[in-house]
Amino acid sequence: MMMGKTIRTFSLAAACAFLGLGASASTHSETINVAVTIRADQPGPTIRPEIYGQFAEHLGTGIYEGVWVGENSSIPNTNGYRNDVIEALRELNVPVVRWPGGCFADEYHWRDGIGPRDKRPVKVNTHWGGVAETNEFGTHEFMTFAEMIGAKVYINGNLGSGTVQEMAEWIEYMTSDTNSTLANERRKNGRDEPWEVHYFGIGNEAWGCGGNMRPEYYADLFRHYATYIKTPPGKRPKIIASGGYGESTEWVDVLTKMVEKDMDGISHHYYTLPLGDWEKKGKSTGFPESEWISTLERTMLIDKIIADNIKILDERDPEGKIGFYIDEWGTWYDPEPGRNPGFLWQHNTLRDALVAAVNFNIFHRHAKRVHMANIAQMVNVLQAMILTEGPRMALTPTYHVFHMYKPFQGATYLPTDVDTPHYRLGDSAVPAVTVSAARGTDGKIHFALANLDPHREASVQTSLRGAQARAATGRVLTAKTMDAHNTVDAPENVKPAPISAKRRGDTLVLRLPPKSVTVVTLQ
Ligand code: AHR
């Protein structure tokens, strides 16, 4: 049950019968038949824009070089922010950015990153490569960055190695509109108006790099620290507890038992490793088909992970106040030869585009409880939107999928009934086509489809209940090879192309190329 309300596999013969083609109808052997009904008569929850959130950590060249080059750089910039990256991110309508980590957050002391830049202490980024952290990019730089790209902010506080006082003072520094010493220090550092902190995380991965804690111990600390998150009236951020990872439900279980207030969300991290092994994850390019399918199969596990955690949340919080925040997700491959392994730089291929689409289609279905998701990460790290090399950049296939899915931000989820065969290889099997539909804020129905089969085209017979459509137009992303990717020398190797379909009888027939992501708007 990965996609629509129901999924049944069915043979080609059954497909022909379903489509009224008859056993003798000629069907191209390389085409699979899929039937989808969009239930526009059963609108569901809003797909919060924050599901398209991003994560930017002080890691490798994610911030320094990727976003911030400094005012004196020869790379074209505005007050230190590189122009090309800012422009590309603005185009994505990034709804929210999580910063400064990650594991880095639990070693970050905010006072290091304020005041004159040349006076800021240089620290060691002990978690990520042991490199110098100049603290040039601090609170003011991050807040300005978020404003430049029009995103809300999700600040992750330091619980692992910071104090309650330090966390409370950071909040006061950022949000106070009084005449307090901290608010005036902010003003002296160039910001008169208080900022709005939309989301605040108390620690990160408390089970690991955030302090190796048991959930019970963390739950007490959450209660303690959250008490001191104080802001002017009406400006309280949503407070996010550090939750579990992988297939675990333990953290949601313990936190919902032990924390009665202040907790607006519980975070969860899930990374897709093609081989499922942290010691040998799999390569980002040049991988065999077995790793294409295993990557997609492992990505789909998130459906059950979300459902299992939601089951507990629904029991303990039937009013639905506590969100499930998947604030780190995406692919994680072996280090790229020749690069610092601590920088988590990897290529981003057509396979990553499929991973993004599969995740979105799943997140949408759980939109009632999944209040935010943040891909790891924004620039130059893991499943990035953008890869930079000196003054040049390339938009990744993942970027294009985020762009194509823009109409889903704030849209109303529409359930789908899907009949699809499976794409199989060895012992692995995944539904060949996964879909999602929604009524956008523009009133139109948007329909996303991912064809996971790398060999066969999919013919998707689409019918609508509660609405009508004559045609569909949109964009499709595909390429010749599974590991096709963009580089600064070949930045347009993988890019969306137009696609359209017309109604035939009662259905729209969309023809999806093998290994492709399609998003269309129905007319
Ligand atoms: O995204 C990279 C790292 O993965 C984050 O810092 C950490 O939270 C997770 O383990």
Side-chain angles (χ1 to χ4, degrees):
M1 294 288 130
M2 306 304 299
M3 282 312 307
K5 237 173 80 196
T6 57
I7 286 181
R8 297 188 298 276
T9 54
F10 67 148
S11 66
L12 194 56
C16 290
F18 176 85
L19 299 171
L21 298 176
S24 63
S26 82
T27 306
H28 194 281
S29 61
E30 294 302 316
T31 299
I32 55 171
N33 290 296
V34 176
V36 178
T37 304
I38 299 175
R39 302 303 307 261
D41 55 338
Q42 293 181 1
T46 298
I47 298 168
R48 295 177 196 231
E50 287 81 0
I51 282 181
Y52 290 85
Q54 307 221 1
F55 172 35
E57 179 167 17
H58 286 236
L59 195 178
T61 52
I63 298 285
Y64 301 110
E65 229 176 282
V67 170
W68 177 261
V69 288
E71 288 147 333
N72 300 325
S73 172
S74 58
I75 297 174
N77 69 85
T78 304
N79 303 326
Y81 304 87
R82 54 187 299 162
N83 294 342
D84 52 357
V85 169
I86 295 289
E87 193 188 325
L89 292 173
R90 283 177 62 82
E91 178 58 32
L92 273 193
N93 287 358
V94 177
V96 61
V97 190
R98 175 173 179 245
W99 174 85
C103 295
F104 182 80
D106 280 300
E107 299 187 356
Y108 183 62
H109 300 283
W110 68 272
R111 293 205 70 94
D112 294 343
I114 57 167
R117 283 190 204 110
D118 58 354
K119 302 250 170 0
R120 296 184 192 172
V122 177
K123 296 277 180 82
V124 181
N125 189 335
T126 55
H127 207 88
W128 301 117
V131 295
E133 164 58 60
T134 62
N135 280 302
E136 260 187 64
F137 193 91
T139 304
H140 290 253
E141 289 76 13
F142 171 66
M143 291 299 205
T144 304
F145 167 59
E147 281 173 357
M148 286 170 90
I149 63 168
K152 290 184 183 169
V153 302
Y154 174 0
I155 305 268
N156 212 117
N158 178 349
L159 176 87
S161 67
T163 62
V164 181
Q165 182 181 356
E166 184 182 358
M167 197 181 278
E169 288 181 352
W170 195 10
I171 287 285
E172 181 184 330
Y173 181 88
M174 292 186 284
T175 66
S176 177
D177 54 3
T178 68
N179 208 22
S180 77
T181 303
L182 277 169
N184 283 332
E185 189 177 2
R186 183 195 69 232
R187 293 186 184 103
K188 190 177 87 199
N189 287 333
R191 174 73 185 198
D192 281 341
E193 290 300 307
W195 286 294
E196 182 156 3
V197 175
H198 307 90
Y199 300 91
F200 193 84
I202 299 198
N204 166 72
E205 295 194 349
W207 43 266
C209 64
N212 286 309
M213 299 171 194
R214 293 173 305 114
E216 292 79 6
Y217 178 64
Y218 172 79
D220 278 339
L221 287 182
F222 176 90
R223 294 163 61 115
H224 182 181
Y225 277 62
T227 309
Y228 298 95
I229 305 294
K230 295 184 181 173
T231 53
K235 297 291 181 194
R236 179 183 174 277
K238 291 208 180 296
I239 302 180
I240 318 302
S242 172
Y245 62 100
E247 287 161 46
S248 143
T249 53
E250 187 191 8
W251 285 72
V252 164
D253 182 35
V254 172
L255 285 165
T256 50
K257 272 190 197 138
M258 290 185 59
V259 179
E260 296 97 28
K261 61 184 181 115
D262 293 332
M263 186 169 68
D264 299 294
I266 301 176
S267 84
H268 194 91
H269 294 175
Y270 181 70
Y271 284 98
T272 302
L273 281 54
L275 298 173
D277 178 352
W278 284 99
E279 298 307 312
K280 196 175 181 338
K281 305 177 201 60
K283 293 197 292 180
S284 64
T285 54
F287 49 83
E289 188 181 339
S290 59
E291 289 178 33
W292 166 274
I293 193 167
S294 67
T295 302
L296 298 169
E297 204 175 25
R298 287 178 192 286
T299 298
M300 286 190 166
L301 294 178
I302 204 167
D303 191 40
K304 181 170 180 323
I305 291 167
I306 297 172
D308 290 348
N309 280 286
I310 288 181
K311 191 161 176 273
I312 299 172
L313 285 164
D314 283 350
E315 277 164 28
R316 308 259 168 82
D317 171 41
E319 289 171 20
K321 289 189 183 148
I322 303 172
F324 192 57
Y325 284 58
I326 303 160
D327 60 12
E328 289 184 30
W329 67 269
T331 53
W332 194 324
Y333 305 122
D334 289 334
E336 188 68 15
R339 303 237 177 203
N340 185 333
F343 281 14
L344 310 187
W345 190 98
Q346 61 190 34
H347 281 291
N348 190 299
T349 70
L350 182 64
R351 176 177 60 171
D352 294 270
L354 270 292
V355 167
V358 166
N359 272 300
F360 290 147
N361 294 348
I362 293 170
F363 296 161
H364 293 174
R365 279 206 299 121
H366 298 289
K368 203 167 156 200
R369 198 60 92 158
V370 175
H371 292 181
M372 188 190 290
N374 308 71
I375 191 164
Q377 297 194 5
M378 197 174 222
V379 187
N380 290 337
V381 177
L382 297 175
Q383 192 178 343
M385 304 299 109
I386 299 170
L387 297 175
T388 66
E389 294 286 344
R392 298 190 293 165
M393 71 162 193
L395 304 178
T396 66
T398 300
Y399 177 97
H400 291 305
V401 173
F402 269 73
H403 198 274
M404 289 160 70
Y405 271 75
K406 269 187 351 182
F408 285 91
Q409 292 193 25
T412 302
Y413 174 75
L414 300 176
T416 46
D417 298 329
V418 183
D419 276 300
T420 175
H422 277 69
Y423 151 53
R424 297 176 193 278
L425 187 74
D427 294 335
S428 296
V430 288
V433 171
T434 83
V435 308
S436 189
R439 193 177 285 283
T441 51
D442 56 3
K444 296 180 178 164
I445 294 178
H446 302 279
F447 187 29
L449 310 96
N451 181 4
L452 280 47
D453 192 314
H455 306 294
R456 296 179 298 171
E457 180 190 70
S459 172
V460 183
Q461 310 271 328
T462 308
S463 35
L464 278 158
R465 294 263 180 85
Q468 290 200 329
R470 282 172 289 109
T473 54
R475 290 182 293 164
V476 58
L477 188 74
T478 188
K480 284 207 179 93
T481 60
M482 293 182 291
D483 68 346
H485 55 278
N486 295 334
T487 63
V488 293
D489 292 319
E492 306 223 327
N493 205 19
V494 188
K495 64 172 185 184
I499 190 171
S500 59
K502 288 223 167 75
R503 190 168 72 186
R504 266 201 248 140
D506 285 341
T507 56
L508 274 170
V509 183
L510 280 150
R511 299 189 83 85
L512 313 179
K515 49 178 167 23
S516 63
V517 178
T518 299
V519 179
V520 289
T521 303
L522 307 189
Q523 276 96 28

